[in-house]
Amino acid sequence: MLYIQPLTRTKLSFQSSATALAFSRLFGIQRHFSTTPQAMAPTAKQYDFIVIGGGSGGSGAARRAAGWYGAKTLLIEHGLSGGTCVNVGCVPKKMTWNFASISEALKDGVHYGYDIPSDISFNFAQFKKARDANIKGLNGSYERNWDREGIELVRGTASFKSAKELEVKFKDGSAPALYTAPKILIATGGHPVRLHIPGSELGIDSDGFFDIEELPAKMAFVGAGYIAVELAGVMAAIGVEVHMFIRGDTFLRNFDPMIQKTLTKRYEDTGVKIHKNHKGFKEIVSLKEGTGKNKLLKLIGNDGEDYEVNELLWAVGRAPELEALGPEKVGLKQGPKGHLVVDEYQNTNVEGIYAIGDVTGQAELTPGKSSLLAIAAGRQLSNRLFGTSHPSGGPHLANSKLDYSLIPSVVFAHPECGTIGLTEPQAIEKFGKENVKIYHTSFPAMFYAFHPAEEKKKQPTEYKIVCQGPEEKIVGLHILGLGSAEMMQGFGVAVKMGARKRDFDACVAIHPTSAEELVSIFDLRLSFFEAWV
């Protein structure tokens, strides 16, 4: 091995330019033969398709591109596999709703003659442990599906270097790496936000809700949307004293007035304390640190009133998860609330960059519905990008896109409610009052036949069909009561297909069910159930 003794410039005094030149050449030779590695610019690894975000939408798009069309696909995810829906959204929410529904069923059983004690205990921590284990299994299912379809997964946070290149900082702390593709999909989802007031960090958000192991005795919810309604309903059903602080007179203000009014009243009737037209809070103060009943917060209101609770949940909205990605670096256009602006084909304003799901804000639905919407949008996008020239696809996929009209949605409240299409006010505004017909019914579900009259009043079932024009095309359907979630999936197909009121009427009713009401409302005033009784 050739070895050259290192030379130190600072200890040499050059007497002539010739001497200086000689030493300069020696330094060059030393650098040439040195065994010390020299820093080199990292090379970006090439893919056909890069998907940022391993939630419902990102997974759907990646699996369609790689599994169906053989695209070399990279999936970048910094959190748990499955995204919001699987980990802190619709899946654990529905499990918790089921847990609470069992508590309600135990109370109902007494009216059927079951000798059920009123003080049956339960172990919420045990339920949480079982729920977490189930979610972990779903994480693994996602990862096995990705591996089976040849999708490469990297764990880290992506940021744009250019419109075709991303840098990923890995969770394990190893050196960042570069990845490039002609097509990049942003499916990073969203995150809950809080009010910017002193002490807001002392409360939790919907993500933190699923960390609760020890139940609080008294809990406050700030917000009037589906997250507040669903989680407050769960807590009330299992015995927590629930306070809801809302800015208006009703919650779910984007839903039909029937659902707003009936569900708000139902919550009040079952003991939820709803603070209407609330002016908000100016500060949150910790009175005692701890968990469950041992935690104590003071909520200081703008109206001069204070409240002491064991837990506070902020449900004041969600924002797109984009900060680390740096969309401004490549000139991506964003809307007023920070969402990425896309066209009907999920294209952003930058060629080769696409976006789906909550990061676009295209449809503000409950997490369960927005996740399925993102899956459908992701699959259609991959069909268009990779399927047109593939044997498994064809030219007919060149214009593949998701139809965002008439999307059914359900809120797992207590009771659950479902909706599709226009509300009554929206239909009147769009078509004119003279061109809109409303079919409405409310009745006690047979399940509550043995409940005392006063208790029966607290268990509403109510339906509304919104029709347009002489053909009475159904442009809106709104239902509330037991079984509404399962019911809405089926009726949603009919409405999506363009059903008219007479199509509903032509369907023979299944008796005795609550759903028969929807195909048996004879006129605008009298429901089938009222006529039959």
Side-chain angles (χ1 to χ4, degrees), residues 216-236:
K218 183 189 296 187
M219 187 167 180
F221 293 80
V222 178
Y226 63 86
I227 293 176
V229 170
E230 290 181 332
L231 301 186
V234 162
M235 286 302 192

Side-chain angles (χ1 to χ4, degrees), residues 150-190:
I151 299 167
E152 184 176 340
L153 171 65
V154 298
R155 294 285 185 187
T157 302
S159 61
F160 278 111
K161 296 290 286 184
S162 72
K164 305 296 182 186
E165 189 174 79
L166 295 162
E167 180 184 70
V168 175
K169 295 181 179 179
F170 298 105
K171 293 190 70 173
D172 62 8
S174 56
L178 298 178
Y179 301 94
T180 183
K183 298 177 177 66
I184 296 175
L185 172 61
I186 302 171
T188 48

Side-chain angles (χ1 to χ4, degrees), residues 5-332:
Q5 177 67 35
L7 301 174
T8 307
R9 291 181 185 270
T10 55
K11 294 184 178 181
L12 297 173
S13 177
F14 301 131
Q15 301 298 319
S16 66
S17 59
T19 305
L21 179 60
F23 273 94
S24 177
R25 288 174 177 171
L26 284 174
F27 276 116
I29 294 171
Q30 177 180 312
R31 284 195 300 270
H32 179 74
F33 287 102
S34 174
T35 58
T36 303
Q38 300 296 311
M40 298 179 66
T43 302
K45 191 173 180 181
Q46 177 74 45
Y47 293 85
D48 300 322
F49 193 32
I50 295 178
V51 178
I52 310 167
S56 301
S59 179
R63 292 186 64 188
R64 180 62 56 92
W68 284 37
Y69 305 123
K72 185 179 180 182
T73 302
L74 174 70
L75 183 62
I76 304 169
E77 174 55 59
H78 75 276
L80 296 173
S81 301
T84 295
C85 177
V86 169
N87 296 288
V88 288
C90 45
V91 173
K93 180 271 303 290
K94 182 63 182 295
M95 292 175 180
T96 312
W97 184 86
N98 288 338
F99 178 84
S101 296
I102 291 172
S103 177
E104 293 177 318
L106 289 171
K107 297 181 178 70
D108 293 326
V110 173
H111 303 299
Y112 276 80
Y114 283 86
D115 186 13
I116 302 174
S118 60
D119 59 347
I120 292 180
S121 62
F122 58 82
N123 189 328
F124 191 79
Q126 180 180 328
F127 160 72
K128 180 187 180 300
K129 184 178 180 180
R131 185 185 66 197
D132 291 349
N134 187 278
I135 298 302
K136 187 175 181 180
L138 293 177
N139 298 146
S141 295
Y142 267 74
E143 292 158 12
R144 286 190 295 274
N145 286 334
W146 296 336
D147 183 65
R148 184 175 63 248
E149 294 179 343
I151 299 167
E152 184 176 340
L153 171 65
V154 298
R155 294 285 185 187
T157 302
S159 61
F160 278 111
K161 296 290 286 184
S162 72
K164 305 296 182 186
E165 189 174 79
L166 295 162
E167 180 184 70
V168 175
K169 295 181 179 179
F170 298 105
K171 293 190 70 173
D172 62 8
S174 56
L178 298 178
Y179 301 94
T180 183
K183 298 177 177 66
I184 296 175
L185 172 61
I186 302 171
T188 48
H191 61 266
V193 298
R194 307 183 185 202
L195 296 181
H196 297 294
I197 61 171
S200 63
E201 73 282 357
L202 297 172
I204 61 174
D205 53 33
S206 56
D207 290 358
F209 177 85
F210 298 105
D211 291 328
I212 294 176
E213 292 189 23
E214 184 181 347
L215 291 175
K218 183 189 296 187
M219 187 167 180
F221 293 80
V222 178
Y226 63 86
I227 293 176
V229 170
E230 290 181 332
L231 301 186
V234 162
M235 286 302 192
I238 57 178
V240 176
E241 181 182 324
V242 170
H243 292 252
M244 297 183 70
F245 296 88
I246 65 176
R247 290 182 296 177
D249 292 318
T250 59
F251 43 60
L252 298 178
R253 291 190 296 273
N254 291 330
F255 286 68
D256 189 85
M258 178 197 79
I259 289 179
Q260 293 183 45
K261 179 181 177 181
T262 301
L263 199 57
T264 301
K265 184 177 186 303
R266 199 276 176 177
Y267 271 43
E268 289 180 304
D269 287 345
T270 54
V272 175
K273 296 172 174 57
I274 303 178
H275 304 264
K276 301 177 180 179
N277 301 300
H278 193 258
K279 304 303 180 184
F281 297 105
K282 62 182 180 181
E283 187 178 2
I284 311 299
V285 177
S286 175
L287 299 180
K288 184 181 179 182
E289 294 184 0
T291 59
K293 298 176 182 178
N294 294 318
K295 178 180 179 179
L296 190 60
L297 300 174
K298 177 186 282 190
L299 318 182
I300 302 175
N302 289 319
D303 58 2
E305 289 194 54
D306 299 343
Y307 303 87
E308 292 187 7
V309 297
N310 302 112
E311 190 58 273
L312 162 67
L313 187 143
W314 299 106
V316 293
R318 295 177 64 82
E321 187 68 51
L322 286 169
E323 185 176 352
L325 187 60
E328 70 284 349
K329 297 176 185 177
V330 293
L332 285 168

Side-chain angles (χ1 to χ4, degrees), residues 438-440 501 520-528 530:
I438 304 298
Y439 292 85
H440 170 264
K501 176 64 169 61
S520 307
I521 303 177
F522 289 133
D523 60 31
L524 304 182
R525 297 169 298 281
L526 188 64
S527 74
F528 169 77
E530 293 167 325

Side-chain angles (χ1 to χ4, degrees), residues 356-521:
I356 59 171
D358 290 348
V359 77
T360 69
Q362 283 177 287
E364 294 184 1
L365 303 173
T366 64
K369 307 308 166 294
S370 62
S371 62
L372 293 177
L373 196 70
I375 291 172
R379 288 171 176 169
Q380 294 285 12
L381 176 65
S382 289
N383 285 341
R384 181 169 66 85
L385 296 181
F386 301 103
T388 55
S389 58
H390 193 275
S392 298
H396 65 284
L397 296 175
N399 293 313
S400 290
K401 62 179 181 178
L402 179 64
D403 179 7
Y404 281 86
S405 65
L406 294 173
I407 301 169
S409 183
V410 166
V411 178
F412 286 99
H414 294 261
E416 62 211 88
C417 56
T419 182
I420 184 172
L422 302 176
T423 65
E424 181 178 345
Q426 288 171 340
I428 291 172
E429 181 180 359
K430 183 173 182 177
F431 302 114
K433 188 172 183 179
E434 68 280 4
N435 297 312
V436 174
K437 289 184 180 179
I438 304 298
Y439 292 85
H440 170 264
T441 180
S442 61
F443 57 95
M446 185 175 286
F447 180 80
Y448 300 108
F450 304 137
H451 287 56
E454 285 303 312
E455 182 66 22
K456 194 179 296 185
K457 291 179 181 178
K458 299 177 182 179
Q459 310 297 342
T461 302
E462 193 167 8
Y463 302 151
K464 178 187 285 189
I465 304 175
V466 182
C467 301
Q468 179 263 326
E471 288 289 304
E472 293 193 331
K473 181 179 180 180
I474 298 173
V475 295
L477 179 64
H478 312 280
I479 60 178
L480 180 150
L482 288 179
S484 289
E486 301 292 346
M487 198 186 306
M488 178 53 69
Q489 185 67 82
F491 279 101
V493 174
V495 175
K496 182 74 172 178
M497 293 178 68
R500 299 157 298 181
K501 176 64 169 61
R502 65 174 178 266
D503 297 318
F504 274 31
D505 295 341
C507 182
V508 176
I510 301 172
H511 184 73
T513 64
S514 293
E516 68 182 288
E517 282 286 290
L518 288 172
V519 298
S520 307
I521 303 177

